[in-house]
């Protein structure tokens, strides 16, 4: 059994997600946004965030897989489930659980930009800037976090802990 220590409580997360939803709603005014969640980690954050939005939204998801020799992100990413709608001329907001090296979102953003959307922005619940390998900057960030391994509220360790209401630091 891995040891885990509470890092962000359910209440703290809820308050910050509500603030983010307000921030995003006022930034887009009444313009429609295509909100694209990155599976699986973003599923809980996305569900809470979109229910706080007061702008018109369309919802879709992508699933990405990262291939490499280690368990860490290799930067070699593939889209294994793409969105089912065109984003040409649309405003796209990617929703991610955590940005670490930045390689995954750097890849996804480039792939989306090639489809000629109006713009692509990024909203991440957690940002771990200490480990960045490419200059990826999220437009909306819930919490800046230290270089530790986090689980809960959608984030897993070997597919466990995603259902937890709080976010924990885990020793792996
Ligand atoms: P990046 O390409 O930015 O290095 O990778 C981001 C992905 O790595 C996240 O979507 C997540 O799947 C995984 N990841 C990075 N840091 C953590 C962490 O602290 N906890 C968990 N559960 N996943 C992480």
């Amino acid at each position: 059994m891995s040891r885990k220590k509470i890092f962000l409580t359910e209440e703290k997360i809820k308050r910050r997600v509500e603030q983010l939803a307000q921030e995003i709603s006022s930034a887009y005014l009444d313009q429609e946004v295509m909100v694209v969640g990155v599976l699986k980690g973003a599923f809980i954050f996305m569900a809470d965030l979109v229910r706080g939005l007061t702008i018109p939204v369309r919802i879709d998801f992508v699933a990405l897989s990262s291939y490499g020799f280690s368990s860490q992100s290799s930067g070699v990413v593939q889209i294994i489930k793409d969105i089912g709608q065109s984003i040409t001329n649309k405003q796209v907001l990617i929703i991610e659980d955590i940005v670490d090296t930045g390689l995954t979102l750097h890849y996804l953003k480039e792939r989306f930009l090639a489809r000629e959307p109006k713009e692509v922005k990024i909203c991440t619940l957690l940002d771990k800037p200490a480990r960045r390998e490419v200059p990826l900057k999220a437009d909306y960030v819930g919490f800046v976090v230290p270089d530790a391994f986090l689980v809960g509220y959608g984030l897993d360790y070997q597919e466990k802990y995603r259902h937890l209401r709080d976010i924990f630091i885990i020793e792996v």
Side-chain angles (χ1 to χ4, degrees), residues 73 96-104 128 148-150 155-156:
S73 184
E96 177 64 301
D97 53 354
I98 183 164
V99 182
D100 187 23
T101 62
L103 293 166
T104 306
K128 228 189 249 183
F149 199 80
L150 303 164
L155 291 102
D156 75 311

Side-chain angles (χ1 to χ4, degrees), residues 2-53:
S2 316
R3 279 200 355 202
K4 53 186 175 40
K5 197 173 72 191
I6 194 145
F7 180 66
L8 291 168
T9 61
E10 180 181 8
E11 289 69 35
K12 204 164 174 191
I13 299 167
K14 186 169 184 285
R15 274 202 304 277
R16 186 67 189 119
V17 173
E18 279 165 6
Q19 284 172 354
L20 278 176
Q22 282 169 13
E23 210 182 306
I24 292 167
S25 299
S26 19
Y28 286 96
L29 292 170
D30 284 329
Q31 303 170 77
E32 185 179 274
V33 184
M34 172 86 79
V35 183
V36 180
V38 182
L39 294 171
K40 302 174 200 167
F43 82 112
I44 293 181
F45 172 44
M46 170 119 159
D48 285 344
L49 183 78
V50 295
R51 283 179 289 176
L53 296 177

Side-chain angles (χ1 to χ4, degrees), residues 59-138:
I59 306 282
D60 216 322
F61 290 94
V62 286
L64 305 171
S65 84
S66 170
Y67 296 101
F69 295 110
S70 73
S71 59
Q72 299 201 329
S73 184
S74 63
V76 183
V77 187
Q78 274 195 346
I79 296 181
I80 53 175
K81 183 232 165 292
D82 206 338
I83 49 173
Q85 11 188 348
S86 165
I87 55 169
T88 304
N89 259 323
K90 301 263 167 62
Q91 310 205 89
V92 179
L93 181 63
I94 299 173
I95 310 293
E96 177 64 301
D97 53 354
I98 183 164
V99 182
D100 187 23
T101 62
L103 293 166
T104 306
L105 281 192
H106 177 74
Y107 166 85
L108 184 63
K109 192 172 177 181
E110 290 301 310
R111 287 287 300 266
F112 276 2
L113 284 172
R115 300 176 190 178
E116 302 187 339
K118 200 181 278 175
E119 67 173 24
V120 177
K121 291 205 167 173
I122 293 171
C123 172
T124 185
L125 178 66
L126 308 172
D127 188 3
K128 228 189 249 183
R131 288 181 31 95
R132 203 69 100 251
E133 288 180 22
V134 287
L136 193 281
K137 202 173 167 325

